[in-house]
Amino acid sequence: MRRTCLLYQSDRPIPYLTAWQWQKQLVEERKQARRDGQDLSDVLLLVEHPAVYTLGQGSSLEFLKFSPDAPNIECHRIERGGEVTHHAIGQLVAYPILNLDYHQHDLHWYLRQLEEVIIQALAKFDVPSQRIQGLTGVWINQAGQNKKIAQVGIKVSQWITMHGFALNVNMDLSGFDRIVPCGITDCQVCNLNQFVHDVEIEQVKIAIAKTFAQIFDLELQFYAID
């Protein structure tokens, strides 16, 4: 019998700080349940955020092209790994809250599985994508140049996961001009709609959810975020 995963999604943008707090609450609930000898279902949040920048816990400020205290730019340092990245409407962000006791106690395996979810979901749109050795995320080769379409950054505490990945669908990519994406000086980014015209983010949500369930062998239960 497959393990249950609660899928929460919304048709409106969710503020970054709201989703961050949800994740922390979900993780703590699962830690407490384990201490009580209980088990709670895995969770997948699929959301969009208004424009925001996030820095990994060890990320260098040199990769910002603005002051982190700038009043007109939302920017947060968070507990995930990785460097600075950008979220905005038109980008699908996935936050899996998984108990790796029921999967594998292997962070490299987990990262590769998240990348595989993205790769297989893009394949459903007939878009080939790939990993690049030594780097985290998913890339598309366009006219001989690798461009990043998805960013991956996680935090795992007592084998409970949080944070996850972001897939560029039809967002305004100009926000990446304010940073050195993922700390890679020559990193170019791209959107799915450059390869699949008129693609809607709802279509991508379905593809990601189904692929996620297959990769992690989960049974999804769907819930809408009010």
Side-chain angles (χ1 to χ4, degrees):
M1 185 174 179
R2 288 193 292 173
R3 183 170 171 79
T4 299
C5 180
L6 311 180
L7 171 61
Y8 292 94
Q9 51 190 335
S10 176
D11 58 2
R12 62 181 174 83
I14 302 297
Y16 185 83
L17 291 179
T18 299
W20 189 15
Q21 185 58 43
W22 286 347
Q23 291 182 77
K24 290 188 281 190
Q25 179 179 339
L26 289 164
V27 168
E28 287 307 312
E29 288 172 352
R30 278 144 186 80
K31 288 180 180 178
Q32 185 61 53
R34 180 194 278 149
R35 289 192 289 268
D36 295 340
Q38 300 173 354
D39 177 39
L40 295 178
S41 298
D42 289 337
V43 174
L44 176 62
L45 304 175
L46 289 181
V47 299
E48 293 174 79
H49 293 308
V52 62
Y53 294 89
T54 67
L55 295 148
Q57 57 186 351
S59 181
S60 174
L61 294 179
E62 68 182 274
F63 298 129
L64 295 180
K65 299 178 182 178
F66 59 87
S67 168
D69 300 320
N72 59 333
I73 302 176
E74 186 177 358
C75 182
H76 305 288
R77 186 177 291 278
I78 57 176
E79 63 272 75
R80 65 163 171 80
E83 294 292 344
V84 62
T85 196
H86 174 54
H87 303 302
I89 294 169
Q91 180 193 68
L92 181 60
V93 186
Y95 297 123
I97 313 296
L98 302 185
N99 184 342
L100 293 182
D101 288 347
Y102 298 93
H103 299 279
Q104 287 193 36
H105 283 186
D106 186 329
L107 301 189
H108 293 288
W109 171 86
Y110 179 57
L111 286 167
R112 301 295 83 77
Q113 294 299 96
L114 293 181
E115 291 167 345
E116 189 63 23
V117 169
I118 300 161
I119 290 168
Q120 290 193 22
L122 292 175
K124 296 179 186 294
F125 296 94
D126 296 320
V127 175
S129 59
Q130 62 192 20
R131 300 176 181 87
I132 293 181
Q133 184 68 32
L135 299 176
T136 302
V138 176
W139 310 72
I140 290 178
N141 188 285
Q142 185 179 34
Q145 184 176 30
N146 288 317
K147 296 187 176 182
K148 198 167 194 179
I149 193 168
Q151 305 83 44
V152 180
I154 65 169
K155 167 68 175 178
V156 179
S157 175
Q158 298 176 28
W159 297 112
I160 309 293
T161 72
M162 64 183 293
H163 299 295
F165 64 84
L167 174 61
N168 308 336
V169 179
N170 52 16
M171 69 185 294
D172 179 358
L173 295 174
S174 66
F176 286 100
D177 295 340
R178 287 176 158 176
I179 60 174
V180 178
C182 306
I184 304 170
T185 54
D186 58 348
C187 181
Q188 300 294 313
V189 294
C190 63
N191 267 324
L192 179 57
N193 70 349
Q194 294 173 234
F195 309 93
V196 183
H197 298 299
D198 300 323
V199 66
E200 298 290 340
I201 204 155
E202 290 302 320
Q203 298 171 270
V204 183
K205 282 183 184 178
I206 293 169
I208 287 290
K210 288 182 176 179
T211 307
F212 183 87
Q214 291 166 357
I215 293 291
F216 288 99
D217 194 26
L218 296 166
E219 185 73 37
L220 294 179
Q221 292 183 4
F222 294 80
Y223 295 89
I225 300 171
D226 294 332

